[in-house]
Amino acid sequence: MTEERKIKAALKVDAGQIQLPPDLLDRIRRRADTVTPVCPSLWARWRLGPKLELALACILLVSLLGMAAYRNLNSGRSQQSPTSPDSRGALSADNADESLALLRKEAPFPIFVPTQIPAGLEPRPPITRDRVVEIVYLTNDLKVELRVINGPAGCCLDADSRKAVGATSIRGDITAYYIINQPEFGGPILWWQEAGSYIALSGPSFAKDDLVKIAASMSSTATLTSQ
Amino acid sequence: MSETEAVRRLQAGDRSALNLLYSTYAEAAIRTAFLITRSKAVAEDAVQEAFVQVIRTVPTLRDPASFRPWFYRIVVNSAKRLSRNISRSLPLDLEYTKVDLTALSPDEAAIGIEEIQMVRAAINDLNQAHREAVILRYYTDLSEDEIAQSLGVPSGTVKSRLHRAKEVLRERLEGKTRFSRRSAVPLEWSSGQKE
């Protein structure tokens, strides 16, 4: 008790250093004239009690997190899956050829597709992203095994021969460039430019020779199901 | 007019009811704000802000009888917010050399200037959370539950803060007492600066 008495006395002495300014109430009134009180009836209607409000806030937070996770999942799918709503021509795997035909009519550059691919890979309908057309080939367990990019010549960052670690010839006089790329970033890239198009092949489990073989089979008139 | 009645009237939009609340709380509020912020200017602004906030949000107070802790919560929050905003170069009002014993009861005055000064300094050395709990409990005379409401923390937290604060004060004061045996007026008291 003595201890508390000392604390009280010390605080009283300390607090005694400040006095209430005589004009403070006037200052408050002047400020208050510009203030609009919160509508009591509206507030009362919405107040549910702290525990219930906390519970509702938690539910809302969980819902928001769930929605965000769902959106992320969907956006991840849309990047990988050509069936996303914002993918032009991505209607279904069945009409991949139809979508490719439509894109070939619209695109200002030829769109090349492979005519020979390893067994077990299924093409998905092409999708457009920025200025390029992307076609992915999936394995049975829906992993992206091969990615084919077509775009206007010079369109892409990789279209720089200085980045290449090697060059090779495909179909006679076309020079293709090989770029080392880690599997987690899509695997090695083989790219070249042909008939006004930039074409790039990549796949996480392909070696340079595999990509060169696929490149040698590329055609600007073949369909996706013509292998 | 009772305090509860004044709160109800203010909730209904009768701003003349503010006079009663002001005369009841303004002085204690400015001193509480000063103890928290250690700045007279900030304390004035904090109390001004707090009353304006009261006028704006008093309709949201469901139980007019709990105005006191609700009001101190606004005061404490205003003081802390404004205190954070002030320049670090602004000198704090730490006038340890000024002691006015007239506000003290005879019992309290009997404690003696030197010991009161030591306790003042020790309280100001507490960390913010402990200091706030001590100020609201021993200066503003709020109960532990009211402090909990004012600070927006559980009652258990208030209890432990008060307990720990008293422990720290005890430790420091024991140290100071030993120190003061060598020097009747330790340097920090006469210089007006914290150690």
Side-chain angles (χ1 to χ4, degrees):
Chain A
M1 190 57 79
T2 310
E3 192 177 58
E4 291 180 1
R5 199 159 51 88
K6 286 179 187 171
I7 295 172
K8 281 186 178 185
L11 288 170
K12 263 191 202 174
V13 167
D14 223 0
Q17 291 180 64
I18 187 167
Q19 300 299 325
L20 206 56
D23 64 335
L24 186 59
L25 185 57
D26 287 337
R27 275 155 49 190
I28 291 166
R29 284 208 182 103
R30 279 198 296 275
R31 280 282 316 279
D33 286 342
T34 63
V35 165
T36 309
V38 175
C39 175
S41 56
L42 186 66
W43 183 263
R45 205 181 303 150
W46 283 95
R47 287 309 301 264
L48 300 167
K51 285 183 182 168
L52 195 54
E53 283 168 3
L54 183 65
L56 284 176
C58 289
I59 290 168
L60 184 65
L61 183 66
V62 169
S63 306
L64 288 173
L65 289 174
M67 282 168 65
Y70 181 74
R71 281 187 180 181
N72 278 345
L73 190 66
N74 272 356
S75 70
R77 278 181 186 156
S78 75
Q79 283 185 357
Q80 289 195 350
S81 163
T83 56
S84 68
D86 56 355
S87 304
R88 283 182 66 194
L91 302 175
S92 73
D94 296 337
N95 59 11
D97 282 338
E98 196 178 324
S99 301
L100 178 62
L102 282 172
L103 283 173
R104 276 182 169 151
K105 280 182 188 170
E106 292 176 7
F109 50 87
I111 298 173
F112 289 79
V113 296
T115 57
Q116 289 181 6
I117 53 164
L121 296 186
E122 284 295 325
R124 303 305 303 263
I127 60 170
T128 57
R129 201 167 53 193
D130 298 327
R131 292 186 296 158
V132 305
V133 175
E134 180 182 283
I135 303 161
V136 295
Y137 290 75
L138 306 182
T139 56
N140 288 336
D141 54 354
L142 301 178
K143 284 184 182 163
V144 175
E145 188 65 11
L146 174 65
R147 196 181 299 273
V148 180
I149 302 277
N150 279 266
C155 67
C156 303
L157 283 175
D158 289 332
D160 180 349
S161 58
R162 288 172 300 183
K163 290 184 180 177
V165 293
T168 187
S169 291
I170 53 169
R171 279 180 279 126
D173 56 349
I174 299 170
T175 305
Y177 299 92
Y178 181 71
I179 297 174
I180 294 171
N181 196 26
Q182 296 303 311
E184 57 267 35
F185 301 118
I189 299 166
L190 185 75
W191 70 268
W192 69 97
Q193 301 198 107
E194 181 178 359
S197 284
Y198 162 86
I199 303 133
L201 305 176
S202 62
S205 55
F206 286 127
K208 181 183 173 184
D209 289 345
D210 301 322
L211 293 174
V212 170
K213 274 183 198 166
I214 296 169
S217 76
M218 298 291 280
S219 160
S220 62
T221 54
T223 61
L224 288 166
T225 54
S226 62
Q227 289 93 15
Chain B
M1 182 166 51
S2 69
E3 181 184 309
T4 307
E5 178 60 24
V7 174
R8 285 209 180 94
R9 283 195 187 183
L10 197 60
Q11 285 181 320
D14 177 4
R15 292 200 180 175
S16 68
L18 185 70
N19 290 351
L20 178 79
L21 297 174
Y22 182 85
S23 61
T24 308
Y25 286 106
E27 187 157 354
I30 201 167
R31 290 180 168 179
T32 301
F34 171 71
L35 290 172
I36 290 171
T37 64
R38 309 300 314 167
S39 163
K40 291 177 183 176
V42 175
E44 273 185 31
D45 285 351
V47 172
Q48 183 178 319
E49 283 294 309
F51 274 103
V52 172
Q53 178 87 341
V54 164
I55 291 165
R56 202 176 69 79
T57 59
V58 75
T60 68
L61 178 63
R62 281 191 296 174
D63 177 14
S66 63
F67 176 81
R68 192 162 177 253
W70 180 79
F71 172 70
Y72 277 110
R73 179 175 193 155
I74 296 173
V75 172
V76 170
N77 287 339
S78 293
K80 281 156 71 173
R81 193 183 61 251
L82 293 171
S83 192
R84 276 196 295 270
N85 294 341
I86 62 167
S87 161
R88 284 181 179 276
S89 61
L90 190 71
L92 299 181
D93 300 304
L94 295 167
E95 299 174 64
Y96 286 112
T97 50
K98 286 187 184 172
V99 180
D100 178 11
L101 297 180
T102 55
L104 302 181
S105 66
D107 262 9
E108 290 167 337
I111 295 166
I113 293 174
E114 195 179 336
E115 196 154 7
I116 285 176
Q117 294 285 52
M118 286 179 183
V119 180
R120 281 173 74 185
I123 291 170
N124 285 320
D125 278 346
L126 290 174
N127 72 35
Q128 173 116 349
H130 290 163
R131 201 153 52 86
E132 281 167 12
V134 166
I135 291 165
L136 292 175
R137 180 72 192 94
Y138 297 111
Y139 180 73
T140 317
D141 267 337
L142 295 182
S143 68
E144 286 174 354
D145 284 343
E146 287 175 328
I147 296 171
Q149 287 180 55
S150 297
L151 297 178
V153 297
S155 292
T157 306
V158 173
K159 267 183 198 161
S160 71
R161 282 182 189 174
L162 285 170
H163 179 75
R164 180 68 192 134
K166 283 196 278 187
E167 268 183 0
V168 172
L169 286 177
R170 208 171 294 131
E171 284 164 15
R172 289 189 184 165
L173 290 170
E174 280 170 8
K176 300 287 185 197
T177 307
R178 282 196 294 277
F179 179 60
S180 66
R181 279 185 193 133
R182 293 197 299 271
S183 167
V185 185
L187 187 61
E188 66 266 35
W189 313 134
S190 55
S191 67
Q193 295 298 315
K194 286 207 289 186
E195 60 183 344

